[in-house]
Amino acid sequence: MFITFEGGEGSGKTTLIRLIREKLGRTFDIKTTREPGGSKVAEAIRDVLLNPKYEGVTPHAEALLFAAARAQHIDEVILPALRENRIVLCDRYIDSSLAYQGYARGLGFDFILKINRYATENMPDRTFYIDVASEVGIGRISQRKELDRLDQESKAFHHKVRQGYHEVAKMFPDRIRIVDGNRSLDDLAAEILEKIRDLL
Ligand code: T5A
């Protein structure tokens, strides 16, 4: 079972994955991972993508680097874990590229789907999109000492990301579940956990 978590900045994915792992890990063998990253090579690409010192990354190069990190991550981490019958909980995957690069950067969904076909043929079994207004999410992370290159994008960009996710959810209605993120983390974790148990 390959499950991904999506959402804008500060939507709560990382915390929710931790809470769900704690509960689900009592019964199942869980592998948690994240994008961009999850392996040594993909984490190196993550640094190029997110470190504000690389401010000149062009939109096309950005999309290709996310896809390259994904190609490495799927082969080195996700597929081996799935072959061992582990449940993979992944913080972001291809829908992030669709919402951020495809929609908010304006590269288009077709371009993102095309380059990602070279990166991976594997789509998640289920995706939980945690929906919160972009100002709420950004407000939650604004106290952090270091904001990454994408955190530092404009309000308009983050608003477009949210719109992009709603378009992506319409494209994949069987796979993507929209979860209202304006609740406590415990409530959200309980709802998602119930949905995962139904699936299992
Ligand atoms: N990206 C990624 C692309 O553009 N294309 C791609 O293909 C991919 C894969 C990744 C960046 O790369 C971009 C998207 C991102 O900009 P990242 O550092 O991994 O960068 O960024 P995020 O995934 O956005 O991680 P964040 O930590 O910023 O957000 P999370 O994980 O959604 O949120 P979390 O759990 O860390 O929570 C943030 C804070 O908010 C609080 C938490 O306690 C925490 O303090 N919080 C809540 N508080 C109250 N109620 C709730 N419901 C709360 N939810 C969270």
Side-chain angles (χ1 to χ4, degrees):
M1 185 70 64
F2 176 24
I3 300 172
T4 57
F5 292 74
E6 295 282 353
E9 321 297 319
S11 52
K13 302 175 285 41
T14 311
T15 315
L16 287 168
I17 289 175
R18 183 174 49 72
L19 293 172
I20 290 164
R21 185 201 179 127
E22 276 166 22
K23 299 249 164 61
L24 214 56
R26 292 175 197 154
T27 325
F28 297 97
D29 190 2
I30 311 286
K31 169 72 187 167
T32 58
T33 185
R34 70 169 181 183
E35 289 209 350
S39 80
K40 195 173 173 188
V41 172
E43 288 288 335
I45 300 173
R46 178 186 173 93
D47 183 49
V48 174
L49 278 163
L50 299 186
N51 194 322
K53 77 179 178 192
Y54 300 119
E55 60 179 17
V57 181
T58 67
H60 284 93
E62 182 181 274
L64 288 162
L65 283 168
F66 276 116
R70 184 161 301 126
Q72 184 74 32
H73 184 216
I74 189 95
D75 284 345
E76 199 181 335
V77 177
I78 297 177
L79 291 179
L82 292 174
R83 274 187 221 110
E84 290 168 5
N85 283 325
R86 303 178 76 187
I87 297 174
V88 176
L89 305 180
C90 185
D91 193 340
R92 299 190 179 279
Y93 192 64
I94 189 168
D95 301 312
S96 287
S97 289
L98 289 166
Y100 281 75
Q101 282 70 48
Y103 195 89
R105 289 265 191 251
L107 297 182
F109 291 147
D110 286 348
F111 174 73
I112 298 301
L113 290 171
K114 192 171 173 186
I115 60 172
N116 275 275
R117 267 198 284 276
Y118 292 102
T120 173
E121 291 177 351
N122 296 82
M123 290 299 270
D125 298 299
R126 179 66 81 233
T127 298
F128 294 102
Y129 163 58
I130 318 301
D131 186 37
V132 285
S134 48
E135 309 82 62
V136 173
I138 294 292
R140 286 176 186 157
I141 62 165
S142 58
Q143 309 302 327
R144 283 182 187 162
K145 270 196 222 132
E146 289 170 15
L147 292 179
D148 69 37
R149 191 175 61 84
L150 282 148
D151 292 334
Q152 292 175 10
E153 281 288 344
S154 66
K155 278 183 190 169
F157 177 85
H158 291 295
H159 184 63
K160 267 189 155 184
V161 167
R162 188 183 187 197
Q163 288 177 328
Y165 271 121
H166 281 271
E167 294 302 316
V168 176
K170 283 185 212 154
M171 276 166 58
F172 301 104
D174 294 340
R175 172 172 63 81
I176 301 181
R177 296 288 175 269
I178 300 179
V179 178
D180 178 358
N182 295 297
R183 287 170 293 150
S184 75
L185 284 158
D186 284 340
D187 282 0
L188 288 169
E191 178 187 329
I192 295 171
L193 204 56
E194 195 183 318
K195 287 187 159 73
I196 294 177
R197 287 194 201 282
D198 286 348
L199 211 62
L200 292 167

